[in-house]
Amino acid sequence: RYWRDWSSDVCSSDLPNIKLGFDIQDTCLINKLAMRSALEFVNYNDYASSNANFKINASSTCPGVIRTRQIVPVSAVIGTGTSRSSTLVSNILQVQDMPLVSYAATSDQLSSKNFPNFLRTVPPDRFQSKAMVDIARYFNWTYVAAIAADDPYGRKGTEYFRNHAKSRGICLALERYFPVKGATTDRIEVIKDIIKELKSHPKVAVVVLYCDWKGARDVVIQAEKQGVTGITWIASEAWTTDRFVSHLPKDFPRRLVKGVIGVSLRNVLVEKFKRYMLSLNSTYQPTGWWRKFWKHKMWEDKLNCTVGSTPGMKKCPFPLKITESIYKHLHDEKDAAVIDATYAIAKAIDN
């Protein structure tokens, strides 16, 4: 959210003829919620186009004053956080020819002509698949297996890996997929069977794991339970940098994931954004989200003080400021991609 607050402010100042507004909806990476939000935008634009001259009341910054503004349609949507939800949302937004600009969806399926309204500020999976093959070839790993999520991200990524691997003399001994929809127990049962089959290939010491952190967690946990050791995991970007180890059970042997080699997006530090974040303090509360942010438990953990009234803890100093250490906690490798998406939309509107 702080990406978009800053991006919209900067874009508005860089493009004086453009005033960016935004409606941020947290889908919690749940496909159903993402589709519901997309449908709301489509319905809103449908209403806006049918009532172009209709004006609604809007609260003024001056107390007791009511001003009117014209209904303005949604120009574009930034999102979503996964390839699967982006395929669903893109289809819905096509009804109103609304562009979807993603900062995270990397599936090559979205590059097809079936998604004419989809754009992204991150590279598609064919490039990370090629990087995985380069890694395997560099270490002379010529007999490998691939385990992936049964969704556009996992299937397309593995397909590109297979094609690149074949041309580089790498044998894909095993290629299996586990479901991402349905009950968790069903997914676990499929993964159990995949690990059993992996054990029947004792010469396989390298496994490409193309999925998100939840799938990766379930796979390595099952590998540990079935006594599979000595595996080098090649991780896709969806779980390489997603604090994967923190999602493992506390009693899980960490040695089993010390051999992970991952592919990740380039982590670009946007200095202008960093300076903006470090300039803020807890008096900045333009929305309810920011008010919750300043009351988050993170401050108690980082500063060893309380923002509420926790017994035995000293009160946090007022106003709270975002320090270097807290910024590192907030920083995400997708920061630059979100900022690029906002700029791209602003430039398009201006032209």
Side-chain angles (χ1 to χ4, degrees), residues 129-291:
S129 296
K130 185 178 183 301
M132 290 175 171
V133 172
D134 290 341
I135 291 171
R137 187 69 267 182
Y138 178 83
F139 289 105
N140 201 31
W141 295 330
T142 57
Y143 195 70
V144 305
I147 301 175
D150 191 5
D151 60 9
Y153 177 75
R155 282 200 170 272
K156 274 293 182 181
T158 304
E159 178 186 339
Y160 274 100
F161 178 86
R162 184 197 324 120
N163 294 338
H164 285 303
K166 186 177 181 180
S167 65
R168 300 287 296 279
I170 297 172
C171 174
L172 193 57
L174 181 70
E175 180 181 337
R176 294 293 180 267
Y177 299 87
F178 58 85
V180 292
K181 295 188 292 184
T184 302
T185 52
D186 294 338
R187 180 174 72 247
I188 298 299
E189 288 303 314
V190 173
I191 291 174
K192 283 181 181 179
D193 292 339
I194 292 174
I195 297 302
K196 286 179 183 177
E197 191 172 358
L198 178 64
K199 290 172 67 177
S200 68
H201 293 76
K203 292 184 179 180
V204 172
V206 177
V207 177
V208 173
L209 194 49
Y210 232 118
C211 56
D212 63 10
W213 70 263
K214 292 180 182 178
R217 175 200 59 194
D218 294 340
V219 169
V220 297
I221 287 176
Q222 283 305 315
E224 188 271 335
K225 286 183 177 180
Q226 296 191 38
V228 176
T229 58
I231 294 290
T232 297
W233 305 94
I234 301 182
S236 66
E237 53 79 31
W239 67 277
T240 301
T241 56
D242 203 8
R243 298 179 177 89
F244 166 72
V245 174
S246 67
H247 294 296
L248 292 171
K250 290 183 178 179
D251 59 347
F252 185 85
R254 269 27 181 195
R255 67 180 185 279
L256 296 181
V257 291
K258 284 185 177 179
V260 173
I261 296 180
V263 177
S264 66
L265 299 173
R266 184 182 178 189
N267 194 344
V268 178
L269 178 64
V270 182
E271 286 290 349
K272 199 172 182 180
F273 173 63
K274 181 181 178 181
R275 289 196 299 271
Y276 167 80
M277 291 296 293
L278 293 178
S279 71
L280 299 178
N281 62 46
S282 54
T283 61
Y284 178 76
Q285 299 186 14
T287 63
W289 184 92
W290 277 103
R291 287 189 286 275

Side-chain angles (χ1 to χ4, degrees), residues 280-348:
L280 299 178
N281 62 46
S282 54
T283 61
Y284 178 76
Q285 299 186 14
T287 63
W289 184 92
W290 277 103
R291 287 189 286 275
K292 290 179 182 178
F293 170 77
W294 294 117
K295 294 179 180 178
H296 196 276
K297 192 178 183 295
M298 170 192 69
W299 298 96
E300 298 185 358
D301 296 337
K302 293 291 181 181
L303 302 179
N304 193 28
C305 60
T306 178
V307 293
S309 55
T310 305
M313 293 185 71
K314 64 179 181 180
K315 274 278 191 181
C316 291
F318 183 85
L320 292 168
K321 283 187 66 69
I322 296 177
T323 62
E324 287 278 351
S325 62
I326 289 174
Y327 178 76
K328 288 180 180 178
H329 176 79
L330 297 174
H331 176 65
D332 189 283
E333 71 276 2
K334 298 183 181 70
D335 285 358
V338 178
I339 292 167
D340 286 345
T342 311
Y343 265 101
I345 291 170
K347 292 286 186 181

